[in-house]
Amino acid sequence: MFSKTKTIVFVALVVLALTSLPPQGWAQAIDGNLTGTVADATGARVPGATVEAMNLSTGVKVSTMTGVDGLYRFNNLPVGVYEVTVTARGFTTSGLKNVPVELNKTSTANVTMQVQGVTQEIAVVEAAGILDYRGHGRDGLQAGPDVAEHLPA
């Protein structure tokens, strides 16, 4: 059986040993951060853009959105090489490949987006009727004298 003094000394030694360990021994960091801005070709920031970062070795994807200032940030990404893809309404999809995220560092990946081209679509709803001019003389359709009165000047 331990005496009270031996127990106190033992507890004191354990506490001393635990508090003297360096902080690095408590946990190992395995990640870094990625931040950047999303802007258009004129340099104006693009708020509300969706930013996706994909780890090229694992295929794991994470996403976030840019703030009103066009900034985005990914915290605690596993170390590796990433592909950053940005989508926003009115812009073509843009991105960067081979963006490194290093241990205990913040990498920066700024993306410039191009305005999406304007497309116009015309749909024909109804086709005109087919003209049948057979049997109306050698020159095709014939018009009466009242047609000439209604022609534009």
Side-chain angles (χ1 to χ4, degrees), residues 100-124:
V101 172
E102 298 176 349
L103 182 64
N104 292 330
K105 293 186 179 178
T106 299
S107 300
T108 301
N110 298 324
V111 178
T112 302
M113 302 194 76
Q114 299 299 320
V115 175
Q116 193 172 33
V118 177
T119 58
Q120 185 176 17
E121 195 173 300
I122 299 174
V124 176

Side-chain angles (χ1 to χ4, degrees), residues 5-86:
T5 307
K6 286 184 181 180
T7 304
I8 292 172
V9 170
F10 177 74
V11 170
L13 287 174
V14 169
V15 169
L16 178 65
L18 290 175
T19 58
S20 65
L21 288 175
Q24 301 90 313
W26 293 345
Q28 294 290 322
I30 58 168
D31 53 27
N33 303 314
L34 178 61
T35 187
T37 59
V38 176
D40 67 11
T42 67
R45 304 284 175 94
V46 180
T50 300
V51 184
E52 181 180 87
M54 182 180 72
N55 187 311
L56 294 178
S57 63
T58 65
V60 174
K61 296 178 183 179
V62 292
S63 65
T64 189
M65 292 187 76
T66 58
V68 294
D69 53 2
L71 296 174
Y72 72 90
R73 183 175 183 87
F74 293 104
N75 290 320
N76 305 318
L77 287 177
V79 171
V81 179
Y82 286 79
E83 179 177 348
V84 177
T85 306
V86 182

Side-chain angles (χ1 to χ4, degrees), residues 147-153:
V147 173
E149 294 175 12
H150 299 293
L151 290 176

Side-chain angles (χ1 to χ4, degrees), residues 87-101:
T87 56
R89 188 175 186 166
F91 293 92
T92 58
T93 300
S94 299
L96 300 169
K97 293 185 179 187
N98 299 319
V99 177
V101 172

